[in-house]
Amino acid sequence: MIKWTKLIIILLVVAAAGFLIWITLPSRPIEGYKTRDSRIKSISRMVDLCTSDIHEEMAIKDSVNGKWIVARQTIAGHIRFDLDSLKIEERGDTTVIYLPPERVDILENDSPGSYVVLDSWDGVHTFFPRTLTAKEENIIKRRWQEKAKKRVYERGYVRLARANAVDALSPLFSRMKGPFGKQGPVIIVDPAPEGYPLP
C-alpha cells in the first residue's frame, strides 16, 4: 500500500515538474501563422462597417432638353467601409491596419414628402409647354445623385465617417494576436483622412 502511495506521489511530482518546465520555456513562433487570414475569417460576417447615415434635404435645379425643374429632395444614404478590403501589415510584433476606401451610397428616398417638385417650366416653348418625361426625370435624378455625393465630401461627412471608422475598428482589433501568437500593439492607420476622390 505504501509503495503504491509513493509511486503515485512520484508520478504527481514528475507531472508537476514537467508542467512547470513547459510553461516557463519560451514559446516557439507558430509556423505558418497568418494574422490576416485568421482574423479576417473570424470577422467575415461583418462585411460592412457602417459608420455614418446621411439624411438631409437638398434643393435641385436642373434642366433637360430645355425643360426646367426645381424640387426639394431628402438625401438618404450611407458611408460604408468594406472590412474585406482592409490592408494588414506585420512589422515586428506590431500589426498595422489600413482603413480601406469609403463607399458612399446615395439612395432614392421613397418616403412620403421626400421628393417635392416646387416649380417646373419649359424654357423653349412658352405657349405650349412640354412636361418632363419619366426618362428625362431619371436623367435629372442621376445627376442629382452625383451632386449629392460631392456634397457629402464638401460638407466633411466622409472625413467624419473615416474618423469614426478608426475609432470603431480600434476595440475590434485590440485583442488581435501578433505575428508570434502573442498580444502585440495594433495600429489603425487612415491613409486618406479627407476621403478618397470620387471616380
Side-chain angles (χ1 to χ4, degrees):
M1 183 68 179
I2 296 176
K3 290 182 180 180
W4 282 107
T5 303
K6 287 183 179 180
L7 183 60
I8 291 173
I9 292 173
I10 291 171
L11 290 174
L12 289 175
V13 170
V14 171
F19 178 74
L20 288 174
I21 292 172
W22 179 71
I23 64 173
T24 55
L25 284 176
S27 59
R28 294 177 56 199
I30 300 174
E31 299 296 333
Y33 182 86
K34 294 182 179 179
T35 302
R36 182 180 304 177
D37 291 346
S38 61
R39 189 60 186 178
I40 293 300
K41 285 179 182 177
S42 69
I43 60 171
S44 60
R45 292 183 183 87
M46 297 180 62
V47 177
D48 291 322
L49 173 65
C50 180
T51 58
S52 293
D53 291 327
I54 307 164
H55 187 86
E56 70 167 280
E57 289 186 350
M58 177 179 176
I60 303 172
K61 183 179 180 181
D62 205 347
S63 67
V64 177
N65 299 326
K67 304 173 189 177
W68 287 85
I69 186 172
V70 176
R72 185 182 70 243
Q73 173 73 53
T74 300
I75 296 176
H78 311 285
I79 303 173
R80 298 179 182 273
F81 298 90
D82 187 357
L83 294 187
D84 285 344
S85 300
L86 286 174
K87 180 183 176 184
I88 301 178
E89 289 183 356
E90 296 167 356
R91 300 178 183 175
D93 66 340
T94 302
T95 302
V96 182
I97 301 173
Y98 296 91
L99 194 66
E102 69 279 350
R103 191 179 78 216
V104 180
D105 298 321
I106 302 297
L107 311 174
E108 188 170 347
N109 194 338
D110 56 358
S111 60
S114 61
Y115 178 71
V116 178
V117 177
L118 303 175
D119 194 7
S120 63
W121 66 93
D122 189 340
V124 178
H125 301 285
T126 307
F127 296 104
F128 300 98
R130 301 163 298 164
T131 57
L132 278 174
T133 65
K135 182 178 180 180
E136 290 171 334
E137 195 165 2
N138 286 333
I139 291 173
I140 288 177
K141 286 183 177 180
R142 282 196 298 271
R143 289 179 188 167
W144 162 78
Q145 285 185 325
E146 292 304 313
K147 290 179 181 178
K149 278 189 179 182
K150 290 181 180 178
R151 180 187 178 102
V152 166
Y153 281 87
E154 290 169 356
R155 295 208 162 191
Y157 297 153
V158 171
R159 182 174 64 250
L160 179 61
R162 296 190 68 84
N164 290 342
V166 171
D167 292 341
L169 285 173
S170 296
L172 179 65
F173 288 98
S174 62
R175 302 298 296 176
M176 176 186 282
K177 298 294 184 181
F180 303 108
K182 295 182 179 180
Q183 178 69 36
V186 178
I187 302 174
I188 312 293
V189 176
D190 184 359
E194 294 296 324
Y196 284 79
L198 289 171

PDB file of all heavy atoms in Angstrom, residues 155-188:
ATOM      1  N   ARG A 155     -19.053  68.746 -47.378  1.00  0.00           N
ATOM      2  CA  ARG A 155     -19.518  69.074 -46.032  1.00  0.00           C
ATOM      3  C   ARG A 155     -18.749  68.334 -44.926  1.00  0.00           C
ATOM      4  O   ARG A 155     -19.078  68.479 -43.752  1.00  0.00           O
ATOM      5  CB  ARG A 155     -21.013  68.781 -45.905  1.00  0.00           C
ATOM      6  CG  ARG A 155     -21.866  69.671 -46.800  1.00  0.00           C
ATOM      7  CD  ARG A 155     -23.230  69.874 -46.220  1.00  0.00           C
ATOM      8  NE  ARG A 155     -23.902  71.013 -46.811  1.00  0.00           N
ATOM      9  CZ  ARG A 155     -25.021  71.539 -46.340  1.00  0.00           C
ATOM     10  NH1 ARG A 155     -25.580  71.017 -45.265  1.00  0.00           N
ATOM     11  NH2 ARG A 155     -25.579  72.579 -46.917  1.00  0.00           N
ATOM     12  N   GLY A 156     -17.768  67.542 -45.318  1.00  0.00           N
ATOM     13  CA  GLY A 156     -16.927  66.877 -44.325  1.00  0.00           C
ATOM     14  C   GLY A 156     -17.516  65.615 -43.738  1.00  0.00           C
ATOM     15  O   GLY A 156     -16.984  65.075 -42.761  1.00  0.00           O
ATOM     16  N   TYR A 157     -18.600  65.091 -44.331  1.00  0.00           N
ATOM     17  CA  TYR A 157     -19.216  63.883 -43.794  1.00  0.00           C
ATOM     18  C   TYR A 157     -18.295  62.670 -43.940  1.00  0.00           C
ATOM     19  O   TYR A 157     -18.237  61.806 -43.059  1.00  0.00           O
ATOM     20  CB  TYR A 157     -20.549  63.603 -44.496  1.00  0.00           C
ATOM     21  CG  TYR A 157     -21.610  64.665 -44.297  1.00  0.00           C
ATOM     22  CD1 TYR A 157     -22.606  64.882 -45.240  1.00  0.00           C
ATOM     23  CD2 TYR A 157     -21.600  65.464 -43.160  1.00  0.00           C
ATOM     24  CE1 TYR A 157     -23.577  65.863 -45.054  1.00  0.00           C
ATOM     25  CE2 TYR A 157     -22.566  66.438 -42.965  1.00  0.00           C
ATOM     26  CZ  TYR A 157     -23.549  66.633 -43.918  1.00  0.00           C
ATOM     27  OH  TYR A 157     -24.504  67.612 -43.729  1.00  0.00           O
ATOM     28  N   VAL A 158     -17.565  62.616 -45.060  1.00  0.00           N
ATOM     29  CA  VAL A 158     -16.655  61.485 -45.275  1.00  0.00           C
ATOM     30  C   VAL A 158     -15.489  61.547 -44.292  1.00  0.00           C
ATOM     31  O   VAL A 158     -15.082  60.538 -43.732  1.00  0.00           O
ATOM     32  CB  VAL A 158     -16.152  61.466 -46.733  1.00  0.00           C
ATOM     33  CG1 VAL A 158     -15.048  60.439 -46.915  1.00  0.00           C
ATOM     34  CG2 VAL A 158     -17.304  61.155 -47.673  1.00  0.00           C
ATOM     35  N   ARG A 159     -14.964  62.738 -44.074  1.00  0.00           N
ATOM     36  CA  ARG A 159     -13.867  62.900 -43.108  1.00  0.00           C
ATOM     37  C   ARG A 159     -14.299  62.431 -41.713  1.00  0.00           C
ATOM     38  O   ARG A 159     -13.565  61.713 -41.022  1.00  0.00           O
ATOM     39  CB  ARG A 159     -13.424  64.367 -43.065  1.00  0.00           C
ATOM     40  CG  ARG A 159     -12.264  64.630 -42.120  1.00  0.00           C
ATOM     41  CD  ARG A 159     -11.763  66.057 -42.221  1.00  0.00           C
ATOM     42  NE  ARG A 159     -12.769  67.029 -41.802  1.00  0.00           N
ATOM     43  CZ  ARG A 159     -13.394  67.849 -42.617  1.00  0.00           C
ATOM     44  NH1 ARG A 159     -13.148  67.818 -43.913  1.00  0.00           N
ATOM     45  NH2 ARG A 159     -14.289  68.707 -42.155  1.00  0.00           N
ATOM     46  N   LEU A 160     -15.504  62.818 -41.323  1.00  0.00           N
ATOM     47  CA  LEU A 160     -16.019  62.391 -40.018  1.00  0.00           C
ATOM     48  C   LEU A 160     -16.241  60.884 -39.983  1.00  0.00           C
ATOM     49  O   LEU A 160     -15.942  60.214 -38.980  1.00  0.00           O
ATOM     50  CB  LEU A 160     -17.329  63.133 -39.722  1.00  0.00           C
ATOM     51  CG  LEU A 160     -18.032  62.794 -38.412  1.00  0.00           C
ATOM     52  CD1 LEU A 160     -17.130  63.136 -37.219  1.00  0.00           C
ATOM     53  CD2 LEU A 160     -19.354  63.533 -38.291  1.00  0.00           C
ATOM     54  N   ALA A 161     -16.763  60.327 -41.077  1.00  0.00           N
ATOM     55  CA  ALA A 161     -17.019  58.886 -41.133  1.00  0.00           C
ATOM     56  C   ALA A 161     -15.722  58.095 -41.028  1.00  0.00           C
ATOM     57  O   ALA A 161     -15.673  57.043 -40.370  1.00  0.00           O
ATOM     58  CB  ALA A 161     -17.744  58.533 -42.432  1.00  0.00           C
ATOM     59  N   ARG A 162     -14.656  58.577 -41.655  1.00  0.00           N
ATOM     60  CA  ARG A 162     -13.376  57.868 -41.585  1.00  0.00           C
ATOM     61  C   ARG A 162     -12.812  57.903 -40.165  1.00  0.00           C
ATOM     62  O   ARG A 162     -12.254  56.925 -39.677  1.00  0.00           O
ATOM     63  CB  ARG A 162     -12.381  58.462 -42.595  1.00  0.00           C
ATOM     64  CG  ARG A 162     -12.818  58.273 -44.046  1.00  0.00           C
ATOM     65  CD  ARG A 162     -11.715  58.651 -45.021  1.00  0.00           C
ATOM     66  NE  ARG A 162     -10.612  57.702 -44.926  1.00  0.00           N
ATOM     67  CZ  ARG A 162     -10.575  56.545 -45.567  1.00  0.00           C
ATOM     68  NH1 ARG A 162     -11.582  56.176 -46.348  1.00  0.00           N
ATOM     69  NH2 ARG A 162      -9.534  55.741 -45.432  1.00  0.00           N
ATOM     70  N   ALA A 163     -12.958  59.044 -39.496  1.00  0.00           N
ATOM     71  CA  ALA A 163     -12.500  59.133 -38.104  1.00  0.00           C
ATOM     72  C   ALA A 163     -13.307  58.184 -37.217  1.00  0.00           C
ATOM     73  O   ALA A 163     -12.750  57.507 -36.333  1.00  0.00           O
ATOM     74  CB  ALA A 163     -12.628  60.570 -37.601  1.00  0.00           C
ATOM     75  N   ASN A 164     -14.611  58.095 -37.452  1.00  0.00           N
ATOM     76  CA  ASN A 164     -15.456  57.173 -36.682  1.00  0.00           C
ATOM     77  C   ASN A 164     -15.083  55.723 -36.948  1.00  0.00           C
ATOM     78  O   ASN A 164     -15.137  54.878 -36.051  1.00  0.00           O
ATOM     79  CB  ASN A 164     -16.936  57.398 -37.033  1.00  0.00           C
ATOM     80  CG  ASN A 164     -17.459  58.716 -36.497  1.00  0.00           C
ATOM     81  OD1 ASN A 164     -16.874  59.311 -35.604  1.00  0.00           O
ATOM     82  ND2 ASN A 164     -18.551  59.191 -37.067  1.00  0.00           N
ATOM     83  N   ALA A 165     -14.702  55.422 -38.199  1.00  0.00           N
ATOM     84  CA  ALA A 165     -14.324  54.055 -38.551  1.00  0.00           C
ATOM     85  C   ALA A 165     -13.064  53.635 -37.812  1.00  0.00           C
ATOM     86  O   ALA A 165     -12.957  52.505 -37.322  1.00  0.00           O
ATOM     87  CB  ALA A 165     -14.120  53.936 -40.057  1.00  0.00           C
ATOM     88  N   VAL A 166     -12.098  54.547 -37.710  1.00  0.00           N
ATOM     89  CA  VAL A 166     -10.869  54.245 -36.966  1.00  0.00           C
ATOM     90  C   VAL A 166     -11.199  53.972 -35.495  1.00  0.00           C
ATOM     91  O   VAL A 166     -10.694  53.019 -34.896  1.00  0.00           O
ATOM     92  CB  VAL A 166      -9.862  55.412 -37.092  1.00  0.00           C
ATOM     93  CG1 VAL A 166      -8.682  55.208 -36.144  1.00  0.00           C
ATOM     94  CG2 VAL A 166      -9.364  55.519 -38.527  1.00  0.00           C
ATOM     95  N   ASP A 167     -12.078  54.797 -34.922  1.00  0.00           N
ATOM     96  CA  ASP A 167     -12.482  54.592 -33.523  1.00  0.00           C
ATOM     97  C   ASP A 167     -13.214  53.271 -33.331  1.00  0.00           C
ATOM     98  O   ASP A 167     -13.084  52.621 -32.290  1.00  0.00           O
ATOM     99  CB  ASP A 167     -13.375  55.756 -33.064  1.00  0.00           C
ATOM    100  CG  ASP A 167     -12.606  57.063 -32.958  1.00  0.00           C
ATOM    101  OD1 ASP A 167     -11.360  57.013 -32.872  1.00  0.00           O
ATOM    102  OD2 ASP A 167     -13.243  58.137 -32.981  1.00  0.00           O
ATOM    103  N   ALA A 168     -14.012  52.874 -34.328  1.00  0.00           N
ATOM    104  CA  ALA A 168     -14.775  51.631 -34.218  1.00  0.00           C
ATOM    105  C   ALA A 168     -13.895  50.401 -34.403  1.00  0.00           C
ATOM    106  O   ALA A 168     -14.124  49.359 -33.789  1.00  0.00           O
ATOM    107  CB  ALA A 168     -15.917  51.628 -35.240  1.00  0.00           C
ATOM    108  N   LEU A 169     -12.883  50.509 -35.265  1.00  0.00           N
ATOM    109  CA  LEU A 169     -12.000  49.371 -35.523  1.00  0.00           C
ATOM    110  C   LEU A 169     -11.012  49.126 -34.388  1.00  0.00           C
ATOM    111  O   LEU A 169     -10.592  47.993 -34.174  1.00  0.00           O
ATOM    112  CB  LEU A 169     -11.225  49.583 -36.829  1.00  0.00           C
ATOM    113  CG  LEU A 169     -12.001  49.384 -38.123  1.00  0.00           C
ATOM    114  CD1 LEU A 169     -11.140  49.794 -39.306  1.00  0.00           C
ATOM    115  CD2 LEU A 169     -12.453  47.947 -38.273  1.00  0.00           C
ATOM    116  N   SER A 170     -10.644  50.177 -33.682  1.00  0.00           N
ATOM    117  CA  SER A 170      -9.619  50.035 -32.634  1.00  0.00           C
ATOM    118  C   SER A 170      -9.980  48.994 -31.580  1.00  0.00           C
ATOM    119  O   SER A 170      -9.190  48.083 -31.312  1.00  0.00           O
ATOM    120  CB  SER A 170      -9.346  51.399 -31.983  1.00  0.00           C
ATOM    121  OG  SER A 170      -8.790  52.284 -32.938  1.00  0.00           O
ATOM    122  N   PRO A 171     -11.173  49.047 -30.960  1.00  0.00           N
ATOM    123  CA  PRO A 171     -11.500  47.992 -29.985  1.00  0.00           C
ATOM    124  C   PRO A 171     -11.716  46.633 -30.627  1.00  0.00           C
ATOM    125  O   PRO A 171     -11.493  45.594 -30.003  1.00  0.00           O
ATOM    126  CB  PRO A 171     -12.788  48.507 -29.328  1.00  0.00           C
ATOM    127  CG  PRO A 171     -13.385  49.447 -30.308  1.00  0.00           C
ATOM    128  CD  PRO A 171     -12.218  50.080 -31.013  1.00  0.00           C
ATOM    129  N   LEU A 172     -12.141  46.620 -31.898  1.00  0.00           N
ATOM    130  CA  LEU A 172     -12.386  45.355 -32.583  1.00  0.00           C
ATOM    131  C   LEU A 172     -11.098  44.556 -32.739  1.00  0.00           C
ATOM    132  O   LEU A 172     -11.084  43.334 -32.595  1.00  0.00           O
ATOM    133  CB  LEU A 172     -13.010  45.627 -33.951  1.00  0.00           C
ATOM    134  CG  LEU A 172     -13.324  44.406 -34.824  1.00  0.00           C
ATOM    135  CD1 LEU A 172     -14.402  43.549 -34.181  1.00  0.00           C
ATOM    136  CD2 LEU A 172     -13.759  44.846 -36.206  1.00  0.00           C
ATOM    137  N   PHE A 173      -9.998  45.256 -33.010  1.00  0.00           N
ATOM    138  CA  PHE A 173      -8.726  44.585 -33.245  1.00  0.00           C
ATOM    139  C   PHE A 173      -7.765  44.669 -32.060  1.00  0.00           C
ATOM    140  O   PHE A 173      -6.624  44.226 -32.171  1.00  0.00           O
ATOM    141  CB  PHE A 173      -8.050  45.180 -34.480  1.00  0.00           C
ATOM    142  CG  PHE A 173      -8.710  44.813 -35.770  1.00  0.00           C
ATOM    143  CD1 PHE A 173      -9.601  45.677 -36.378  1.00  0.00           C
ATOM    144  CD2 PHE A 173      -8.455  43.600 -36.380  1.00  0.00           C
ATOM    145  CE1 PHE A 173     -10.217  45.344 -37.569  1.00  0.00           C
ATOM    146  CE2 PHE A 173      -9.066  43.252 -37.574  1.00  0.00           C
ATOM    147  CZ  PHE A 173      -9.951  44.132 -38.168  1.00  0.00           C
ATOM    148  N   SER A 174      -8.208  45.241 -30.954  1.00  0.00           N
ATOM    149  CA  SER A 174      -7.302  45.434 -29.823  1.00  0.00           C
ATOM    150  C   SER A 174      -6.813  44.123 -29.229  1.00  0.00           C
ATOM    151  O   SER A 174      -5.753  44.066 -28.615  1.00  0.00           O
ATOM    152  CB  SER A 174      -7.994  46.271 -28.736  1.00  0.00           C
ATOM    153  OG  SER A 174      -9.133  45.580 -28.245  1.00  0.00           O
ATOM    154  N   ARG A 175      -7.565  43.039 -29.401  1.00  0.00           N
ATOM    155  CA  ARG A 175      -7.161  41.735 -28.850  1.00  0.00           C
ATOM    156  C   ARG A 175      -6.511  40.842 -29.894  1.00  0.00           C
ATOM    157  O   ARG A 175      -6.326  39.651 -29.667  1.00  0.00           O
ATOM    158  CB  ARG A 175      -8.380  41.014 -28.262  1.00  0.00           C
ATOM    159  CG  ARG A 175      -9.105  41.791 -27.168  1.00  0.00           C
ATOM    160  CD  ARG A 175      -8.238  42.036 -25.976  1.00  0.00           C
ATOM    161  NE  ARG A 175      -7.848  40.801 -25.314  1.00  0.00           N
ATOM    162  CZ  ARG A 175      -7.013  40.734 -24.284  1.00  0.00           C
ATOM    163  NH1 ARG A 175      -6.454  41.835 -23.821  1.00  0.00           N
ATOM    164  NH2 ARG A 175      -6.718  39.569 -23.741  1.00  0.00           N
ATOM    165  N   MET A 176      -6.185  41.415 -31.039  1.00  0.00           N
ATOM    166  CA  MET A 176      -5.581  40.610 -32.101  1.00  0.00           C
ATOM    167  C   MET A 176      -4.220  40.083 -31.679  1.00  0.00           C
ATOM    168  O   MET A 176      -3.427  40.790 -31.064  1.00  0.00           O
ATOM    169  CB  MET A 176      -5.426  41.438 -33.371  1.00  0.00           C
ATOM    170  CG  MET A 176      -4.714  40.698 -34.493  1.00  0.00           C
ATOM    171  SD  MET A 176      -4.393  41.767 -35.904  1.00  0.00           S
ATOM    172  CE  MET A 176      -5.999  41.799 -36.643  1.00  0.00           C
ATOM    173  N   LYS A 177      -3.929  38.830 -31.990  1.00  0.00           N
ATOM    174  CA  LYS A 177      -2.631  38.241 -31.720  1.00  0.00           C
ATOM    175  C   LYS A 177      -1.631  38.706 -32.784  1.00  0.00           C
ATOM    176  O   LYS A 177      -1.958  38.833 -33.945  1.00  0.00           O
ATOM    177  CB  LYS A 177      -2.716  36.706 -31.741  1.00  0.00           C
ATOM    178  CG  LYS A 177      -3.650  36.140 -30.682  1.00  0.00           C
ATOM    179  CD  LYS A 177      -3.137  36.399 -29.284  1.00  0.00           C
ATOM    180  CE  LYS A 177      -4.035  35.749 -28.232  1.00  0.00           C
ATOM    181  NZ  LYS A 177      -3.578  36.010 -26.872  1.00  0.00           N
ATOM    182  N   GLY A 178      -0.416  38.938 -32.352  1.00  0.00           N
ATOM    183  CA  GLY A 178       0.628  39.401 -33.243  1.00  0.00           C
ATOM    184  C   GLY A 178       1.210  38.273 -34.072  1.00  0.00           C
ATOM    185  O   GLY A 178       0.738  37.137 -34.039  1.00  0.00           O
ATOM    186  N   PRO A 179       2.302  38.550 -34.814  1.00  0.00           N
ATOM    187  CA  PRO A 179       2.899  37.556 -35.707  1.00  0.00           C
ATOM    188  C   PRO A 179       3.382  36.297 -35.003  1.00  0.00           C
ATOM    189  O   PRO A 179       3.466  35.245 -35.605  1.00  0.00           O
ATOM    190  CB  PRO A 179       4.072  38.321 -36.335  1.00  0.00           C
ATOM    191  CG  PRO A 179       3.732  39.757 -36.178  1.00  0.00           C
ATOM    192  CD  PRO A 179       2.935  39.856 -34.912  1.00  0.00           C
ATOM    193  N   PHE A 180       3.741  36.388 -33.711  1.00  0.00           N
ATOM    194  CA  PHE A 180       4.263  35.235 -32.998  1.00  0.00           C
ATOM    195  C   PHE A 180       3.239  34.619 -32.054  1.00  0.00           C
ATOM    196  O   PHE A 180       3.578  33.923 -31.113  1.00  0.00           O
ATOM    197  CB  PHE A 180       5.535  35.627 -32.237  1.00  0.00           C
ATOM    198  CG  PHE A 180       6.592  36.196 -33.133  1.00  0.00           C
ATOM    199  CD1 PHE A 180       6.889  37.542 -33.109  1.00  0.00           C
ATOM    200  CD2 PHE A 180       7.264  35.388 -34.040  1.00  0.00           C
ATOM    201  CE1 PHE A 180       7.847  38.072 -33.950  1.00  0.00           C
ATOM    202  CE2 PHE A 180       8.231  35.910 -34.884  1.00  0.00           C
ATOM    203  CZ  PHE A 180       8.524  37.261 -34.843  1.00  0.00           C
ATOM    204  N   GLY A 181       1.965  34.904 -32.296  1.00  0.00           N
ATOM    205  CA  GLY A 181       0.913  34.315 -31.484  1.00  0.00           C
ATOM    206  C   GLY A 181       0.743  34.979 -30.140  1.00  0.00           C
ATOM    207  O   GLY A 181       0.063  34.458 -29.268  1.00  0.00           O
ATOM    208  N   LYS A 182       1.384  36.136 -29.946  1.00  0.00           N
ATOM    209  CA  LYS A 182       1.285  36.849 -28.679  1.00  0.00           C
ATOM    210  C   LYS A 182       0.602  38.186 -28.897  1.00  0.00           C
ATOM    211  O   LYS A 182       0.529  38.691 -30.007  1.00  0.00           O
ATOM    212  CB  LYS A 182       2.687  37.069 -28.088  1.00  0.00           C
ATOM    213  CG  LYS A 182       3.395  35.782 -27.695  1.00  0.00           C
ATOM    214  CD  LYS A 182       4.745  36.092 -27.068  1.00  0.00           C
ATOM    215  CE  LYS A 182       5.446  34.817 -26.640  1.00  0.00           C
ATOM    216  NZ  LYS A 182       6.770  35.079 -26.024  1.00  0.00           N
ATOM    217  N   GLN A 183       0.132  38.747 -27.800  1.00  0.00           N
ATOM    218  CA  GLN A 183      -0.510  40.047 -27.877  1.00  0.00           C
ATOM    219  C   GLN A 183       0.527  41.103 -28.243  1.00  0.00           C
ATOM    220  O   GLN A 183       1.570  41.209 -27.620  1.00  0.00           O
ATOM    221  CB  GLN A 183      -1.158  40.395 -26.539  1.00  0.00           C
ATOM    222  CG  GLN A 183      -1.817  41.765 -26.506  1.00  0.00           C
ATOM    223  CD  GLN A 183      -3.049  41.806 -27.381  1.00  0.00           C
ATOM    224  OE1 GLN A 183      -3.767  40.823 -27.470  1.00  0.00           O
ATOM    225  NE2 GLN A 183      -3.304  42.928 -28.011  1.00  0.00           N
ATOM    226  N   GLY A 184       0.272  41.870 -29.284  1.00  0.00           N
ATOM    227  CA  GLY A 184       1.169  42.935 -29.704  1.00  0.00           C
ATOM    228  C   GLY A 184       0.376  44.187 -30.003  1.00  0.00           C
ATOM    229  O   GLY A 184      -0.841  44.146 -30.119  1.00  0.00           O
ATOM    230  N   PRO A 185       1.068  45.317 -30.140  1.00  0.00           N
ATOM    231  CA  PRO A 185       0.353  46.557 -30.432  1.00  0.00           C
ATOM    232  C   PRO A 185      -0.314  46.521 -31.798  1.00  0.00           C
ATOM    233  O   PRO A 185       0.238  45.965 -32.754  1.00  0.00           O
ATOM    234  CB  PRO A 185       1.452  47.629 -30.371  1.00  0.00           C
ATOM    235  CG  PRO A 185       2.732  46.889 -30.541  1.00  0.00           C
ATOM    236  CD  PRO A 185       2.519  45.517 -29.999  1.00  0.00           C
ATOM    237  N   VAL A 186      -1.516  47.087 -31.878  1.00  0.00           N
ATOM    238  CA  VAL A 186      -2.267  47.179 -33.132  1.00  0.00           C
ATOM    239  C   VAL A 186      -2.490  48.655 -33.427  1.00  0.00           C
ATOM    240  O   VAL A 186      -3.003  49.398 -32.593  1.00  0.00           O
ATOM    241  CB  VAL A 186      -3.618  46.443 -33.047  1.00  0.00           C
ATOM    242  CG1 VAL A 186      -4.387  46.595 -34.355  1.00  0.00           C
ATOM    243  CG2 VAL A 186      -3.406  44.977 -32.723  1.00  0.00           C
ATOM    244  N   ILE A 187      -2.098  49.091 -34.612  1.00  0.00           N
ATOM    245  CA  ILE A 187      -2.224  50.489 -35.013  1.00  0.00           C
ATOM    246  C   ILE A 187      -3.172  50.575 -36.203  1.00  0.00           C
ATOM    247  O   ILE A 187      -2.997  49.881 -37.202  1.00  0.00           O
ATOM    248  CB  ILE A 187      -0.851  51.087 -35.400  1.00  0.00           C
ATOM    249  CG1 ILE A 187       0.127  50.976 -34.225  1.00  0.00           C
ATOM    250  CG2 ILE A 187      -1.004  52.538 -35.837  1.00  0.00           C
ATOM    251  CD1 ILE A 187       1.539  51.405 -34.573  1.00  0.00           C
ATOM    252  N   ILE A 188      -4.198  51.427 -36.084  1.00  0.00           N
ATOM    253  CA  ILE A 188      -5.125  51.678 -37.184  1.00  0.00           C
ATOM    254  C   ILE A 188      -4.680  52.950 -37.899  1.00  0.00           C
ATOM    255  O   ILE A 188      -4.566  54.002 -37.275  1.00  0.00           O
ATOM    256  CB  ILE A 188      -6.575  51.836 -36.689  1.00  0.00           C
ATOM    257  CG1 ILE A 188      -6.958  50.703 -35.730  1.00  0.00           C
ATOM    258  CG2 ILE A 188      -7.542  51.912 -37.860  1.00  0.00           C
ATOM    259  CD1 ILE A 188      -7.030  49.353 -36.367  1.00  0.00           C
TER     260      ILE A 188
END
